[in-house]
Amino acid sequence: MLDHEKFLSFPWELTPVGKIEQWPKQLHFLTNFLHSSKQPMFVLWGDSRAFIFNAAYQEIWGIHSLAQLGRPIDEVAAGIWQQMKPLVERVFDGQSFLESDFAITDIGGADVRYFDFSYTPIRDYDSDEIVAALCISTDVTNRVISAQRTREERAILDLTVQNVTEGVALVESDLSLVLWNEPFRIHFGYAPDEIRMGMNAVELMLKTAQRGDLGPGEPTAIVAALAHSIQTTESARLEIQRSNGQVLSLYRRSISGGRFLLMSQDVTDERRIARLKDELVSTVSHELRTPLTAISGALGMVAAGAAGPLPEKAERLIEIAQRNSERLTSLVNDLLDIDKLQSGKAKFNKQCLDLAEIVRTAAEQNQPYAERAGIEVRCDVPAAPLVAKVDRNRILQVLANLISNAVKFSPKGEQVLLRLRENADAARISVIDRGAGVSEEFRERLFHRFTQQDGTASRVQQGTGLGLAISKGIVEAHGGSIHLDTATTRGATFHVDLPLGE
């Protein structure tokens, strides 16, 4: 590696620079400056543009020989001289400048490296004539390659985004818009000139809020809350109804580098069909309730002997009819519950009650059903009261649904545990079983109506598929939440979180 001793002993007399003893003071000063610097740099000296470099420059290029030292730059540069020539001419014309991302093929021609070159003309002390050019070089290969990869990835992502039917937008951590596709623009009703790369997403959200598409309220306050949510949470789901009646389902997910993807889907038709279905189900349920009550009552009277003794076969048929009538009545009642919860017409008699007493009651009420399946229901509640403002019967209904499901899918001899704990400013009731658990693919539909994990016609465990949907509606009407603990590896654990009362 080039050091001061090797530099002084180099045969300069064989180069255009001449004997070192005859060098002007300015050249001595420049070479001393080169050797004292850890920054890769070189000097082009005199009319021959003699190439003089330092050890740092030699190291970044892996130059083992000093044969290039003092030679004219046009000979040293060889294949890239035509690229360098305009730069050398500019600096000897008196210009100082930075040449960024200059590409140079590595020794051996295998790789391309990139440099930032800062050129400065050096003037003679006396004549003010330009006698040399100082070039400070910085290897920026990693930066350039990283930027190239980012552009390539963005191009691939852009191509992918443009070929999906859902709306997609990519936003940087500073909320600047990187890319979007046409469905995204159409979903939000932006004109082509209203959306542009690099604009702040807050500007777009404000346009949306000012049109009333994000609901009632002061637009800037709505946007501030959304921006805060974006910057403080990993993901979120939201459904909005635009002022034109269009319904959009939105999903936001954080990705690497603090960026996030926003996906939009037009679900207007799906929601319209669901509303029509709800209206139909509600109408049918109300119409069925009265005749079902009459049928069930009549069957009960016949079974009790009101019509006289029945043959054995007739008794069996009446028993089957009565059991199915009860199932139909239960289904209709569930449908009516769902209808009331969705329409906000469900009535709740909320009182400040000790949740421990409610949990113990739920265990007692459901123990006979569990015992028939060979399952034990246990309680784990704190000694001190945990008070919440709840409708006692409604919470018992939720727990009955959860216990029933836990018993249905637990093998004989197992236990179902009801646990009550204080969790921050809420009370958490957990229903824990060691049964079959909930499959990964079913979890997204867990709280949907008419869904059951085993949907085959040969299903052993019977039910309406409405229990969890009703439970979710009841818990949310109490200002709480219900969810499946996805960290559970055996069986299923459902958590019901309810705000504590005074």
Side-chain angles (χ1 to χ4, degrees):
M1 194 62 64
L2 185 63
D3 55 25
H4 192 62
E5 184 179 341
K6 288 181 181 178
F7 187 85
L8 292 176
S9 63
F10 186 76
W12 292 104
E13 65 275 9
L14 302 179
T15 72
V17 183
K19 292 182 179 180
I20 197 169
E21 295 84 1
Q22 298 173 355
W23 286 3
K25 290 182 180 179
Q26 198 158 8
L27 182 53
H28 279 292
F29 171 79
L30 282 172
T31 54
N32 285 335
F33 174 68
L34 252 65
H35 290 299
S36 65
S37 176
K38 300 296 184 183
Q39 178 74 23
M41 58 180 70
F42 62 86
V43 166
L44 303 179
W45 178 262
D47 293 336
S48 64
R49 317 295 193 244
F51 180 55
I52 304 172
F53 53 84
N54 66 357
Y57 188 88
Q58 183 184 15
E59 184 178 358
I60 65 170
W61 283 102
I63 301 172
H64 302 292
S65 169
L66 301 181
Q68 296 177 341
L69 202 58
R71 289 173 56 196
I73 187 62
D74 58 343
E75 295 178 12
V76 174
I80 65 167
W81 171 242
Q82 293 306 314
Q83 289 176 264
M84 289 192 66
K85 184 178 179 181
L87 307 180
V88 174
E89 290 176 350
R90 280 178 64 190
V91 72
F92 275 93
D93 282 342
Q95 297 182 44
S96 294
F97 59 91
L98 175 67
E99 182 70 17
S100 298
D101 303 345
F102 190 86
I104 299 178
T105 303
D106 208 343
I107 296 171
D111 299 310
V112 176
R113 298 173 69 183
Y114 297 88
F115 289 84
D116 283 352
F117 290 128
S118 176
Y119 285 95
T120 304
I122 306 298
R123 297 182 182 274
D124 183 75
Y125 292 145
D126 301 320
S127 66
D128 203 37
E129 178 187 355
I130 296 172
V131 293
L134 173 65
C135 179
I136 301 174
S137 60
T138 305
D139 189 339
V140 294
T141 304
N142 290 339
R143 185 194 74 192
V144 172
I145 291 176
S146 177
Q148 287 176 345
R149 286 175 179 166
T150 299
R151 286 194 297 271
E152 290 168 359
E153 289 171 359
R154 187 168 294 176
I156 293 170
L157 180 59
D158 188 41
L159 182 62
T160 304
V161 163
Q162 296 303 331
N163 284 279
V164 297
T165 56
E166 295 181 345
V168 180
L170 175 64
V171 182
E172 284 287 2
S173 57
D174 62 358
L175 300 184
S176 60
L177 188 62
V178 178
L179 58 85
W180 65 93
N181 64 359
E182 191 66 2
F184 179 84
R185 184 189 69 78
I186 293 171
H187 284 169
F188 286 92
Y190 301 131
D193 59 349
E194 284 185 311
I195 185 168
R196 61 190 184 279
M197 186 176 294
M199 75 181 299
N200 197 296
V202 170
E203 185 181 342
L204 279 178
M205 288 189 284
L206 189 58
K207 288 180 186 288
T208 306
Q210 287 171 339
R211 293 189 307 224
D213 289 349
L214 296 179
E218 207 281 314
T220 55
I222 295 172
V223 171
L226 280 175
H228 177 73
S229 173
I230 288 169
Q231 293 172 325
T232 57
T233 59
E234 289 291 316
S235 63
R237 291 185 182 273
L238 177 67
E239 192 167 288
I240 64 170
Q241 181 166 346
R242 296 185 58 205
S243 55
N244 63 2
Q246 183 185 26
V247 182
L248 297 178
S249 175
L250 309 178
Y251 175 59
R252 172 180 55 80
R253 182 170 65 86
S254 297
I255 56 177
S256 61
R259 296 174 292 176
F260 66 88
L261 279 173
L262 177 62
M263 287 157 276
S264 62
Q265 184 179 11
D266 187 340
V267 293
T268 308
D269 289 341
E270 288 91 331
R271 295 299 175 265
R272 181 179 57 82
I273 293 168
R275 187 173 64 254
L276 291 173
K277 186 172 71 174
D278 289 344
E279 291 171 358
L280 176 63
V281 168
S282 176
T283 302
V284 170
S285 300
H286 280 90
E287 293 297 324
L288 281 176
R289 190 172 195 175
T290 301
L292 270 175
T293 302
I295 293 169
S296 183
L299 288 171
M301 290 174 65
V302 171
L310 295 174
E312 185 178 339
K313 287 185 178 180
E315 283 184 358
R316 176 62 179 158
L317 291 173
I318 290 294
E319 181 185 339
I320 293 171
Q322 192 172 18
R323 189 165 58 246
N324 285 323
S325 173
E326 289 170 355
R327 285 189 59 206
L328 279 173
T329 302
S330 175
L331 173 59
V332 168
N333 287 336
D334 282 351
L335 289 170
L336 291 173
D337 271 346
I338 282 283
D339 182 50
K340 289 176 183 177
L341 288 167
Q342 287 184 333
S343 62
K345 294 177 182 177
K347 295 180 180 179
F348 291 89
N349 180 25
K350 295 181 182 178
Q351 300 176 43
C352 287
L353 302 171
D354 180 12
L355 291 176
E357 186 276 328
I358 294 176
V359 170
R360 283 192 290 264
T361 300
E364 291 171 4
Q365 289 180 349
N366 289 275
Q367 186 62 53
Y369 168 72
E371 285 177 352
R372 289 197 296 273
I375 306 294
E376 180 188 0
V377 179
R378 289 198 309 109
C379 274
D380 177 9
V381 298
L386 274 180
V387 177
K389 194 170 185 179
V390 296
D391 183 318
R392 186 175 187 275
N393 290 332
R394 290 292 193 175
I395 298 302
L396 285 173
Q397 183 182 356
V398 170
L399 295 179
N401 275 325
L402 294 176
I403 295 169
S404 172
N405 286 342
V407 169
K408 284 178 185 176
F409 294 99
S410 293
K412 190 174 181 179
E414 282 289 351
Q415 294 180 339
V416 172
L417 175 64
L418 272 65
R419 185 171 62 203
L420 174 65
R421 292 288 184 272
E422 187 171 351
N423 186 34
D425 57 350
R428 169 167 287 184
I429 305 171
S430 303
V431 179
I432 305 165
D433 69 61
R434 293 290 181 264
V438 181
S439 63
E440 190 77 30
E441 60 274 13
F442 183 68
R443 290 178 182 177
E444 286 188 10
R445 299 180 292 117
L446 193 58
F447 293 96
H448 292 186
R449 292 170 300 164
F450 302 109
T451 56
Q452 291 181 284
Q453 181 158 266
D454 179 6
T456 63
S458 60
R459 188 195 308 122
V460 174
Q461 307 298 346
Q462 299 295 328
T464 63
L466 292 170
L468 287 177
I470 292 171
S471 298
K472 185 173 186 288
I474 292 172
V475 172
E476 289 178 351
H478 282 79
S481 64
I482 179 171
H483 68 277
L484 172 73
D485 189 338
T486 55
T488 300
T489 56
R490 183 188 172 194
T493 297
F494 283 87
H495 297 302
V496 176
D497 294 326
L498 296 167
L500 289 172
E502 296 180 359

